[in-house]
Amino acid sequence: MRSDHSEVSHPAARVFVTPWLLGIVLLAATVWSLTAGNYPIALADQWRALLHALGRVTPPEDTRLGLVRIVLFDIRAPRLMAAILVGAALSTSGAAFQSMFVNPLVSPGLLGVLAGASFGAALGMLAKGSWLAIQGCAFGGGLVAVGLALTLARVCQGDRLLLLILGGVISTALFTALLSAVKYVADPTDQLPAITYWLMGGLSRADAGTVGRAAPIFCLGMAGLFLMSRQLDLLSLGDEEAKSLGLNVGRVRLGLIAVSTILCAATVSIAGLVGWVGLIIPHAGRMLVGPSNRALLPTAALLGGIYLLLVDDVSRLAFGVEIPLGILTALVGIPFFPLVLRNARKSWG
């Protein structure tokens, strides 16, 4: 599907204002989410704890303020930050993949990164590795899976885009089979339930150390995609037109795939499998600001952060037990998908 940007009319004011409005919504949602939970924290207490942490005030130590600081900074803030980063990364990489493959139905898992990361994490759990080792295995598995897809596409002759997609299908099938093999040999009393629950997605294990290690990867990856938005716009016109405009299509596409893969692998290493975000949210962003990636990528990042933050709130607050994120994002995404299909052509211009 080709996009002709000249036929699309999105008022410049909307393109400029929308990210700012979304930023305000994200800030408000974050503040509210910090207050909500089994241990409610008033805004005034949040403010006192923040000022105390910054060293701006030195109130007398009391047990309640200490408890507020633990809940706020050691439990809720890392989890909320992880939700925002994972949602933003999945949405940004999904928008990049859709523009790169000129297809509105593409998601970040196209080249096998999610299947590879899942296999890596399951292998780490089977080996009874530490949480950090499991995260590393998930990250490495995602990179290996996409590397396999790229290698398969490179050794065959033909249409590069089609070969990449076929390579992704083969890689996904291979690592899904390997994941099934790991689950088959896993101990059914502890390892298999742990693998199964982790594959459903969730942020219950996100702590300050995890977020601190992953945040630079997320920020640098998304910044890299933002800086390549012009090249993405050219790629969305089709390979021949992009080449005629002076773009080195192969090199740019490889760079975009590498950055998007790193982002996706990082999300799986933190939150497990969280589907539908990278497929649905870019379309919502496209409906707001149009197909130009210069406006779309930051809009998708903000929308994805807000979306996963709110879904995580529902996951931890709506029921007596925590519901896996992957289940909730599927339940929300599937009804939204027909709307996406109906508006895909219009929003792509």
Side-chain angles (χ1 to χ4, degrees):
M1 179 180 296
R2 292 190 174 201
S3 63
D4 184 351
H5 295 183
S6 63
E7 293 178 3
V8 183
S9 176
H10 284 276
R14 187 198 297 181
V15 172
F16 177 76
V17 170
T18 299
W20 289 101
L21 288 178
L22 291 175
I24 293 171
V25 172
L26 177 60
L27 180 62
T30 303
V31 172
W32 180 83
S33 299
L34 285 171
T35 68
N38 293 328
Y39 184 82
I41 300 175
L43 285 176
D45 288 337
Q46 279 192 42
W47 185 244
R48 285 180 60 212
L50 179 62
L51 290 178
H52 187 240
L54 294 175
R56 302 300 298 272
V57 295
T58 55
E61 287 291 338
D62 60 69
T63 305
R64 188 169 183 281
L65 181 60
L67 184 59
V68 166
R69 286 209 307 267
I70 291 172
V71 173
L72 206 57
F73 298 126
D74 294 346
I75 300 175
R76 285 189 195 160
R79 177 169 180 148
L80 301 187
M81 184 59 68
I84 293 170
L85 289 173
V86 169
L90 286 173
S91 303
T92 309
S93 56
F97 265 93
Q98 289 171 3
S99 294
M100 198 186 325
F101 288 92
V102 204
N103 190 324
L105 302 181
V106 165
S107 68
L110 177 72
L111 299 181
V113 60
L114 299 183
S118 299
F119 166 71
L123 199 62
M125 292 181 192
L126 187 68
K128 298 182 179 179
S130 65
W131 175 229
L132 182 60
I134 292 170
Q135 289 178 306
C137 289
F139 191 77
L143 298 184
V144 170
V146 174
L148 175 63
L150 292 174
T151 302
L152 290 172
R154 186 169 289 274
V155 298
C156 300
Q157 298 294 324
D159 183 277
R160 282 296 161 203
L161 273 183
L162 181 60
L163 289 172
L164 270 176
I165 294 172
L166 289 175
V169 170
I170 295 171
S171 179
T172 299
L174 172 64
F175 281 94
T176 301
L178 292 174
L179 173 62
S180 297
V182 171
K183 292 167 73 175
Y184 184 75
V185 300
D187 187 334
T189 59
D190 55 359
Q191 291 174 330
L192 184 57
I195 293 172
T196 303
Y197 186 77
W198 184 86
L199 290 176
M200 294 180 185
L203 292 166
S204 59
R205 302 183 72 171
D207 54 23
T210 299
V211 174
R213 287 189 296 272
I217 297 174
F218 284 115
C219 294
L220 289 174
M222 286 188 281
L225 291 181
F226 293 163
L227 292 174
M228 299 179 78
S229 57
R230 180 177 172 276
Q231 287 89 337
L232 267 174
D233 284 341
L234 295 178
L235 276 180
S236 68
L237 299 174
D239 283 8
E240 295 304 320
E241 199 160 348
K243 287 177 183 175
S244 71
L245 293 171
L247 188 71
N248 187 328
V249 171
R251 185 175 300 174
V252 170
R253 182 174 286 131
L254 184 61
L256 287 166
I257 288 174
V259 176
S260 300
T261 298
I262 290 171
L263 278 176
C264 292
T267 67
V268 179
S269 70
I270 290 181
L273 288 183
V274 182
W276 293 91
V277 179
L279 175 62
I280 299 297
I281 296 300
H283 290 291
R286 216 170 268 115
M287 291 175 192
L288 288 175
V289 299
S292 171
N293 285 284
R294 189 173 180 182
L296 173 61
L297 293 181
T299 300
L302 290 166
L303 273 176
I306 295 169
Y307 173 69
L308 205 60
L309 178 65
L310 296 179
V311 170
D312 185 55
D313 286 342
V314 174
S315 165
R316 64 189 178 92
L317 299 174
F319 305 97
V321 295
E322 184 172 325
I323 306 299
L325 277 183
I327 294 176
L328 291 177
T329 53
L331 290 176
V332 175
I334 290 170
F336 190 69
F337 195 59
L339 179 65
V340 167
L341 287 176
R342 194 181 68 178
N343 290 280
R345 181 177 295 278
K346 184 171 64 176
S347 61
W348 272 65

